[in-house]
Amino acid sequence: MNTTSKSWEIIEDEDTMRDLYLCFSIENRFYAFEVRYLTEILALPAITTIPGTAPFLKGVINVRGKIIPVMDVRLRFDMEFQPYHERTCVLLVELDGHPLGLIVDKVNDVVKIPAENVDLAPKIGESKSSRFIYGTGRVGDTVKILINLQRLLTQEESNLIQDIPGN
Amino acid sequence: MEREDVLEYLVEAKESLENIESGLLNFEKTTLDGSLVDREILDTLFRHFHTIKGSSGFFGLSGIVKIAHAAENLLDYLRNKPSSQDEETLEILITALDLLNELVIHEEDSPTGGGLYSEEQNQFLQRSNDKLLELKNSEMDLSPNLETEPTKEEFGLFQKDEAKQSPNEEFGIFTNDVKQNVPEEFGLFQNDTNDSKNEEFGFFEPKQSDTNPEFGLFTANQVNVESKPTNSPTNNSKSKPEEKKSNQKKDIRIDTDKLDSLLDIVGEIVINEPMVTEHPDLKKLKLDNFHKSALQLKKLIRSLQEITLSLRMVPISGVFSRMERLVRDTAKKTGKQVELIISGEDTEIDKSIIEEMYDPLVHIIRNAIDHGLETPEERKEAGKQTKGTIHLTAVQSGKEVWIEVKDDGKGLQRDKIIRKAISLGLINHLEAENLKDEEVWDFLFHPGFSTAKEVTDLSGRGVGLDVVRKNVSTLKGFVDVSSNFGQGTVFLIRVPLTLAIIEGLVVRKSETYFILPSIDVKESLYIKEEPIHELYRNNHSILYRENQISIVDIDLLFGKESELNNHHSIQEKYMIVAESHENQMGIVFDEILGNQSIVIKPISPLFKNINGLAGCTILGNGHAGLILDVRKLINQHMAIQST
């Protein structure tokens, strides 16, 4: 991490990282997740597709000698695939010690959403894409959709992969 | 106290416990052959327990402190009264070790502040206390006795274990006073009498009177010099700790994550080096000096790569020494006498492989003791020594390490195995007669194959050698067994030195680069306008050296529709003939980039359900390449086709 910049040093402190969210957008919706999961933001490198996986797992990328799987968040949310462009980003996050790249349309900014501005999502059935969302956060006049990163990789996926013939 | 500091300390504590274990095993060896344990071993053990006690106290792990303290007390007593040691004290010390291990692991998994948590642990404290008291009491009873049997001590010159030094007894007549005169009188005893050339007289050393006035003539050094040729039991116990000391290397503990990132970066440098030194922009320029420097840089990078890869290599001794304890416990449970002879423990092998070797070795060695070795009575009857031996050996052979477990037990029984194989329906009677021995032994690796009559807590639980073979083959290794009836059984495990690097053929299929391990590739061909026969959908064949072989593409191997359905001839494509268990198959690719040494990296656990990939790597062009598990793909594909 960049230690020459003072602001980073402060952010490294766990307490001040609380309530900070990284915002990105897909189509015209704004999503956010807790910044403490984020390790790095990358321009989209070459992706090596892995045959036989779920479509939203796009494949793997090389990040300075480390091989990291990437997921297309758009496909994960059952939205239509859009070709990647120069603003397409990979957000490197770490979940349970495993790095994962999230492909998103556009990264916006880091905002502070204090706990009192977070409303937990009402449980409306078992809707497929709502399971990734745990609440909404009010920031000024806008509302960010808060993502539960852990849920992006739940058990269902492994089942999904197993269902593919030949595996 | 930071949790991380505690964890770090616990790793250290485990190391001390390993040392204690080997010390105790030495202790046991000497106890069993009836001699008194060496003072040095007692001191070392005491020191280790003491260290654990001290450091654990610092971290507030009171349970560990209590147990270690109890063990320390016993040892301290033994140090002063070595004659009072018996099997029970040893047993208590071993229990102490087990409890300490338990506590350390417990503390690692669930931090509870290190207190005692089980009844057994509390009981141990009581038991060790009782034993100490008992020892002290018996000492009082015995003390008059001790005085009445001073026959040996009268001569003063003999060590307590003089019986084993029979060749030296002749000299016993020299007393302290005489000693000083002896050299002068006979001229044979010079100051340098302990030099190797004068070994015969080695036990007369000028300085000894300081250290050991009573037994003045024998010093510790001399016993070593003297006992080497005679190979007395005391020698065994003595020389071992010393050997260990001389083997001690300076080392430093490194977080494996740091090591891995170092490997990653070195890997990147290796890949980047040609990108820079052979940069297309430089091609047309005449740069003699640059090329000289570039060459130098290349050499340096090669050695950097070699060194970094060697960082992962550790001697196998860690796993081997853990087997000593296993042998001891198993022998005890089965009532058999077993000696484990270890050699080649310095052989270095990739750390990740070593860790995987533990379970297979445990299994094989347990089997060897439980099924292989006979009871002492049976052995006597068969005209063998009552004590069975197991040789555990490691040697490096080319790019492989061979680990051999050899017992001198009763060997495998062909008939019994064949009967079992028939009853499981693996073969019929007719086939059985023509089988070679090796083929018969191979049944042992069949899942669920156990010849054990009854389930014991050691074996026969159905978790058989098939698991061993499976574990070893995931390491790209092999297990073989050979046996002579009545003479014993040999298990040979062959594993690669390192899993990190393989030779592979780099190929491209549309945007994705694949690597096929060279070992699986038989031939690569350029095919143009070669007719493909469509047998039915997704099943094509092609003529290869007068044989029709299956031809597939990657899509089909991974369970999708084959592109070959749409073309009946291949244009400007390459076919790689791969082989698995005599099955040949042609796999179609767009381009072959060539042979390369590949640094294997694991694929994220996210993709764990994908069969047919052995790992990932990074290619010279910066792309990630996928390493195919060709054998698995072929077998899988054949299995689907045959259903």
Side-chain angles (χ1 to χ4, degrees), chain A residues 46 48-53 57 59-62 64-67 69-70 98-100 153 158 161-162 164-167, chain B residues 261 264 268 512 514 554 558-560 601 603-607 609-611 613 616-618 622-626 636 640:
Chain A
T48 298
T49 51
I50 295 202
T53 49
L57 284 175
V60 289
I61 55 171
N62 164 23
R64 290 185 305 279
K66 275 209 168 73
I67 290 175
V70 285
H98 299 303
L100 172 71
L153 298 167
S158 14
I161 295 166
Q162 275 168 343
I164 293 167
N167 276 317
Chain B
S261 43
D264 287 342
E268 283 286 278
T512 309
F514 292 96
I554 282 291
F558 281 98
K560 290 189 209 141
K601 292 163 188 255
I603 304 186
S604 164
L606 254 182
F607 298 108
N609 289 308
I610 304 218
N611 271 324
L613 289 184
C616 266
T617 192
I618 293 164
H623 278 80
L626 304 176
Q636 216 164 259
I640 291 173

Side-chain angles (χ1 to χ4, degrees), chain B residues 329-359:
Chain B
D329 290 352
T330 318
K332 220 159 217 187
K333 268 186 203 156
T334 53
K336 292 173 182 176
Q337 294 177 14
V338 191
E339 186 176 6
L340 180 69
I341 300 171
I342 289 178
S343 52
E345 66 268 40
D346 293 335
T347 313
E348 291 204 331
I349 182 164
D350 193 292
K351 192 165 188 326
S352 54
I353 297 185
I354 286 196
E355 281 159 8
E356 297 298 321
M357 289 320 298
Y358 179 73
D359 287 340

Side-chain angles (χ1 to χ4, degrees), chain A residues 100-118:
Chain A
L100 172 71
L102 303 175
I103 302 173
V104 299
D105 287 5
K106 199 174 142 204
V107 176
N108 302 322
D109 48 1
V110 175
V111 291
K112 199 171 178 90
I113 311 179
E116 61 265 26
N117 285 4
V118 172

